[in-house]
Amino acid sequence: MESYTYVNIFETKGLEYLLLICFLVLFIFLVRYLASPLPAKEQAGKE
Amino acid sequence: MNRRGFLKLAGTVGATLAAKKAKARDNDDEKEEFVGVLTDTTRCIGCRTCEVACAEAHGLPVPDVQNDGALEAERRTSDTQWTVVNRYETDEGDVFVKKQCMHCWQPGCTAACLTNAMYKTHAGPVIWRSDKCMGCRYCMISCPFEIPKFEYDSWNPKIHKCNMCWERLQEGQKPACVDACPTDALMFGRKRELMEVARVRIYNHPQKYVHQVYGEHEVGGTGWLYLSSVPFEQLGFRTDLGTTPYPDYTREFLYAVPVVLFAVPAFLLGLRFLSENEEELEEGESHA
Amino acid sequence: MHDENKKGRSFADIIRFILQEMKPRGKFLTPFNVISIVVIIAGVIILTVRFIYGLGSVSNLNQEYPWGLWKGFNVITGVAFAGGAYVLTFVVYVMGVEKYHSIVRVTVLNGLLAYIFYAGALILDLGRPWNIINPIIGNDFGYNSVLFLVAWHFMLYMIAEFIEFSPVAAEWLNLEKAKKVLQMLTLGAVIFGITLSSLHQSGLGALFLMAKSKIHPLWYTEFIPLLFLVSSIFAGISMVIFEGTISHRVFREQIGPDGKSSFDQIVFGLAKGAAIAMFVYYFFKLLVFIHEHHWQHIHGFWGFWYLFEIIGLVLVPCFLFAYGARHRIIGVIRIAAILTLIGIIVNRLNISMIAYNWNVVDRYYPSWMEYVVSFTVIFAEIWVFRWIVTRMPVYEKHTKPAMA
């Protein structure tokens, strides 16, 4: 890379942090989803 | 004597001295500056004398330069050709480019080699040592110029690549291709001196040359340097390789190896103790 | 009863017992046996040709594609599939989760055999295999090489896995004292093994860091080692589920009905773990996608192929794992495991073969002989696995010492 013109090497940093926030929110949903096996007993009973 | 003639003479003298110094055995303690070759593609006439000289010097099949019509298609080096000359049709007419190992300052191939069969000598040339090689071909994966070539049709295969005539350098001679070149398109010497020659040529003929020496900074700098009258993309050169030496891409990973080996076993043992304590507590409660 | 026998036992007895156990058992002419024997014989012939006339005589490897199916599939993908061993030993021996104890032995066995046979495949691929001892004996120690690290780790990890598995063999030979001694080594081997695994799983990815100019930009990233490590977690888990499903059909007698129901519970737990690991992996991929401005490459075949890999073979199985775990549907989890395994194969082959030198005109397609040798390695492993499982107490329920 030549140093004659403007280049911002941290251009995507903001987007990356946004992605992180998305991840944390969705991750909470995933963990809650996995941690509450609601119809578990019904299904197991049937088998 | 004009300026150019002087520089040429100076370059030749420098090169001879450099070869004499390279003769000094490859000594690990000795700090000597790297040798290299400057290829001025504006001087190359595509006679392929270098190919013949190279083949003769290394016991490879000698090409029939007059009749084989090899300039018609772009060629790569192979397990029988350590160097090839290609013709490119450009805005400035036909340009001939000699291709061979670039002898990087920090070669990907030597960093890749797990037995140091691929070896960067302290004089500059990158050489291959058959007694060490296990034929894993990781050097071929790691070379940004795709130079190391493998004998796929042998039970005891070798890796083939230009070694800058390492055996000739040790005898105080110049590489065979440089000696053979009839138009002085090739110049052998210390890289520092070659860079000066290259810059002077560009400075004296700013219209003739593109203002770049290929190999000055590419992948951290190479021992083989190129001057050209047309942009290097038009001559089959990769200009997207960057200036980072290739071994740098694995350096941090390898740096992390001892860190992981210090930390992870202790961390795992800690976890183990924590979970053990819990069990003991539970056991204690149930007993009580 | 056993004690009386033990007193009279000599080393010769043990050898005689082992020789006696070498004999095949059960029905011999099964479809699997017939097919695998044909493939293995063909593979041995092909390998003989390969060692006489060179790699080019049987493979389509060339100067542009120095690494092909044997390294890309057998070594790099196979080692990822063997990741279950370090994941499960971590869960059982370090975290002390007893629920998964019953499948540790078979998983460690699988891991050990995978390394023996896939490191073996590496030898088939070496041009000068007799020099393989060079980096070990110091001719030279190329410690500047990622492959040096990987080679040493393969070797050390095989030793660690062997120690982890050795109590089973000792039990088989009814060597109580040896078993006790070997069991004392287990925790050390486990901790050492997990550490080595984390390094060589990522190391296999780090091999390609210097192929920067060759791998398609959608797949090349400085994070390859981390991506390989994280994906080896769910690759290993998926393989445990996949292999367990088959084993529970084939080795029904060894496992017994109790093993079946507890295995279902294990699978639900594993599916949760896989779902979380894949979710994190998917976001790693997205982070790389953003950081490296990859949207500019999302077009044409490569863009489609990339999206297919990270959505169809990562995100979809991730959700299937989560769905199957929550609703306790074993069939969905099995489909998820199979999709995940395909995804790992696609990912590893992309980096080593498909998206490697993607702009070269003459692409590399493995020859039929390369496929035969790949299957030879897999079948040979299955034969050894079957031999061990039907003789040694690999599945917990099979506790009666074989040699009495």
Side-chain angles (χ1 to χ4, degrees):
Chain A
M1 265 207 257
E2 296 197 2
S3 53
Y4 303 120
T5 50
Y6 178 82
V7 174
N8 179 8
I9 56 172
F10 296 110
E11 203 180 297
T12 58
K13 214 75 219 158
L15 269 175
E16 286 164 30
Y17 290 150
L18 267 177
L19 180 76
L20 174 68
I21 293 165
C22 288
F23 168 76
L24 290 173
V25 171
L26 289 170
F27 193 65
I28 291 169
F29 279 107
L30 178 74
V31 170
R32 281 176 57 101
Y33 180 80
L34 286 173
S36 58
L38 290 174
K41 272 166 194 161
E42 293 164 36
Q43 284 279 350
K46 275 176 202 165
E47 273 179 16
Chain B
M1 186 190 273
N2 63 17
R3 192 184 161 92
R4 192 176 145 193
F6 167 76
L7 277 165
K8 196 173 143 189
L9 181 69
T12 318
V13 172
T16 317
L17 285 173
K20 288 249 169 66
K21 277 183 206 157
K23 186 182 172 186
R25 280 189 56 82
D26 189 39
N27 191 336
D28 285 13
D29 304 324
E30 200 181 323
K31 279 276 174 202
E32 56 172 331
E33 288 208 349
F34 283 160
V35 291
V37 175
L38 172 65
T39 306
D40 190 334
T41 58
T42 63
R43 295 183 183 187
C44 182
I45 54 169
C47 65
R48 297 171 59 208
T49 313
C50 52
E51 283 186 31
V52 174
C54 177
E56 282 168 351
H58 299 107
L60 301 166
V62 178
D64 181 6
V65 178
Q66 301 302 325
N67 307 311
D68 65 1
L71 286 174
E72 295 310 313
E74 186 178 7
R75 293 176 298 158
R76 289 165 168 259
T77 60
S78 72
D79 55 342
T80 53
Q81 295 159 296
W82 290 6
T83 184
V84 291
V85 176
N86 282 317
R87 181 178 64 197
Y88 294 91
E89 286 164 21
T90 69
D91 311 338
E92 307 277 319
D94 283 357
V95 175
F96 300 95
V97 182
K98 179 183 180 298
K99 189 176 175 133
Q100 72 298 304
C101 174
M102 298 291 285
H103 299 281
C104 305
W105 170 56
Q106 295 289 342
C109 59
T110 64
C113 188
L114 76 168
T115 58
N116 290 344
M118 205 57 96
Y119 180 66
K120 177 77 174 169
T121 59
H122 292 242
V126 178
I127 61 170
W128 177 78
R129 304 184 288 185
S130 75
D131 59 320
K132 297 179 192 294
C133 177
M134 62 160 79
C136 70
R137 309 189 293 290
Y138 187 28
C139 50
M140 300 167 73
I141 297 276
S142 305
C143 174
F145 303 102
E146 299 195 65
I147 289 301
K149 296 287 148 72
F150 182 80
E151 285 178 354
Y152 281 102
D153 51 0
S154 163
W155 68 274
N156 184 16
K158 295 187 185 78
I159 294 284
H160 284 277
K161 68 175 269 303
C162 160
N163 63 357
M164 216 194 270
C165 287
W166 176 234
E167 55 296 321
R168 285 171 61 97
L169 296 193
Q170 283 173 307
E171 289 163 10
Q173 291 174 285
K174 286 194 261 179
C177 54
V178 177
D179 261 353
C181 184
T183 60
D184 278 335
L186 301 172
M187 177 189 258
F188 175 79
R190 305 245 168 241
K191 184 181 175 185
R192 186 190 297 277
E193 292 154 4
L194 294 177
M195 273 311 302
E196 279 171 16
V197 173
R199 285 204 193 92
V200 167
R201 285 190 199 169
I202 293 173
Y203 186 78
N204 285 347
H205 305 278
Q207 306 299 322
K208 185 176 165 191
Y209 293 105
V210 291
H211 295 192
Q212 181 194 356
V213 183
Y214 192 94
E216 183 182 11
H217 301 300
E218 277 68 19
V219 296
T222 62
W224 215 284
L225 303 168
Y226 286 89
L227 281 171
S228 166
S229 55
V230 294
F232 284 99
E233 299 86 54
Q234 295 180 28
L235 300 179
F237 286 89
R238 284 197 71 158
T239 50
D240 59 345
L241 295 174
T243 55
T244 308
Y246 260 47
D248 261 9
Y249 294 118
T250 57
R251 186 159 70 165
E252 280 174 30
F253 176 80
L254 291 171
Y255 202 175
V257 169
V259 177
V260 169
L261 283 166
F262 292 148
V264 174
F267 176 72
L268 292 174
L269 210 58
L271 275 181
R272 165 76 189 170
F273 287 155
L274 287 173
S275 61
E276 239 175 18
N277 276 344
E278 223 164 280
E279 275 167 27
E280 280 166 12
L281 275 177
E282 277 168 24
E283 268 176 345
E285 277 166 24
S286 64
H287 282 302
Chain C
M1 205 175 105
H2 297 296
D3 287 349
E4 282 168 33
N5 281 324
K6 227 183 348 185
K7 273 172 203 160
R9 252 163 22 131
S10 65
F11 185 67
D13 287 330
I14 295 175
I15 299 295
R16 205 172 301 134
F17 172 70
I18 292 174
L19 285 177
Q20 181 198 322
E21 290 275 87
M22 292 301 284
K23 282 185 212 147
R25 282 184 192 168
K27 227 173 83 182
F28 192 70
L29 283 175
T30 58
F32 171 80
N33 282 4
V34 172
I35 295 171
S36 61
I37 287 173
V38 169
V39 170
I40 290 173
I41 290 171
V44 170
I45 295 169
I46 292 168
L47 286 172
T48 312
V49 174
R50 170 252 174 279
F51 279 109
I52 296 171
Y53 296 105
L55 273 164
S57 61
V58 300
S59 75
N60 284 346
L61 293 176
N62 56 44
Q63 309 293 1
E64 268 83 40
Y65 291 92
W67 287 1
L69 192 69
W70 299 348
K71 272 202 177 104
F73 179 70
N74 290 73
V75 180
I76 294 167
T77 314
V79 166
F81 285 167
Y86 83 87
V87 175
L88 273 175
T89 52
F90 172 74
V91 171
V92 173
Y93 292 111
V94 178
M95 300 303 294
V97 185
E98 283 300 310
K99 181 180 164 188
Y100 301 99
H101 209 133
S102 64
I103 57 163
V104 162
R105 282 183 169 185
V106 67
T107 309
V108 168
L109 174 63
N110 257 318
L112 174 63
L113 292 181
Y115 276 86
I116 291 173
F117 280 88
Y118 300 152
L122 194 70
I123 294 172
L124 305 179
D125 193 77
L126 290 180
R128 305 151 75 93
W130 48 90
N131 277 344
I132 196 168
I133 51 161
N134 277 352
I136 297 162
I137 61 170
N139 181 28
D140 283 347
F141 293 126
Y143 39 69
N144 36 24
S145 169
V146 179
L147 197 58
F148 177 79
L149 173 94
V150 171
W152 266 90
H153 277 196
F154 274 8
M155 192 182 66
L156 294 174
Y157 188 63
M158 273 193 257
I159 295 170
E161 292 263 83
F162 184 75
I163 293 171
E164 286 171 32
F165 186 71
S166 59
V168 182
E171 202 175 297
W172 170 61
L173 297 169
N174 205 9
L175 301 166
E176 278 302 319
K177 270 189 190 156
K179 190 191 164 189
K180 284 213 178 88
V181 173
L182 290 168
Q183 268 175 336
M184 281 158 59
L185 298 173
T186 299
L187 181 65
V190 163
I191 287 178
F192 196 49
I194 296 168
T195 313
L196 291 172
S197 283
S198 66
L199 279 173
H200 70 236
Q201 292 286 1
S202 51
L204 283 174
L207 287 177
F208 292 95
L209 288 174
M210 284 199 289
K212 188 176 197 288
S213 57
K214 295 166 194 159
I215 295 173
H216 190 282
L218 281 171
W219 281 272
Y220 183 86
T221 156
E222 57 204 292
F223 276 118
I224 288 181
L226 188 65
L227 293 173
F228 267 50
L229 176 61
V230 176
S231 56
S232 76
I233 295 173
F234 56 81
I237 291 177
S238 299
M239 197 63 196
V240 169
I241 295 173
F242 178 72
E243 177 274 322
T245 306
I246 294 173
S247 293
H248 277 75
R249 301 229 166 108
V250 180
F251 305 112
R252 223 176 291 129
E253 289 160 33
Q254 271 85 18
I255 294 161
D258 295 353
K260 170 90 180 78
S261 61
S262 73
F263 185 67
D264 285 356
Q265 293 306 311
I266 286 170
V267 167
F268 295 134
L270 291 174
K272 278 188 199 174
I276 290 177
M278 292 178 91
F279 193 71
V280 173
Y281 177 78
Y282 181 73
F283 273 86
F284 277 170
K285 280 279 200 183
L286 286 186
L287 178 67
V288 171
F289 186 83
I290 291 174
H291 185 86
E292 315 254 334
H293 301 229
H294 277 167
W295 50 84
Q296 60 200 8
H297 302 296
I298 292 292
H299 53 75
F301 169 75
W302 295 107
F304 162 77
W305 185 234
Y306 174 80
L307 291 177
F308 173 71
E309 184 197 315
I310 67 160
I311 295 174
L313 298 173
V314 177
L315 199 59
V316 168
C318 168
F319 287 152
L320 288 179
F321 270 130
Y323 184 84
R326 185 174 149 110
H327 295 277
R328 310 245 148 189
I329 309 169
I330 209 102
V332 173
I333 295 176
R334 282 180 194 149
I335 293 169
I338 290 168
L339 279 181
T340 306
L341 293 177
I342 295 171
I344 294 292
I345 295 174
V346 168
N347 174 257
R348 298 303 196 263
L349 292 189
N350 267 337
I351 286 173
S352 60
M353 280 160 48
I354 301 169
Y356 180 89
N357 266 342
W358 54 285
N359 46 6
V360 165
V361 183
D362 294 323
R363 297 203 53 84
Y364 159 79
Y365 297 100
S367 69
W368 66 269
M369 290 182 277
E370 288 178 84
Y371 285 110
V372 170
V373 170
S374 277
F375 280 108
T376 299
V377 173
I378 294 169
F379 283 141
E381 191 208 344
I382 294 174
W383 272 78
V384 174
F385 177 78
R386 188 173 62 175
W387 184 84
I388 293 175
V389 162
T390 50
R391 283 158 183 80
M392 298 186 194
V394 173
Y395 292 106
E396 200 81 353
K397 284 291 149 192
H398 189 69
T399 44
K400 197 174 64 183
M403 187 187 184

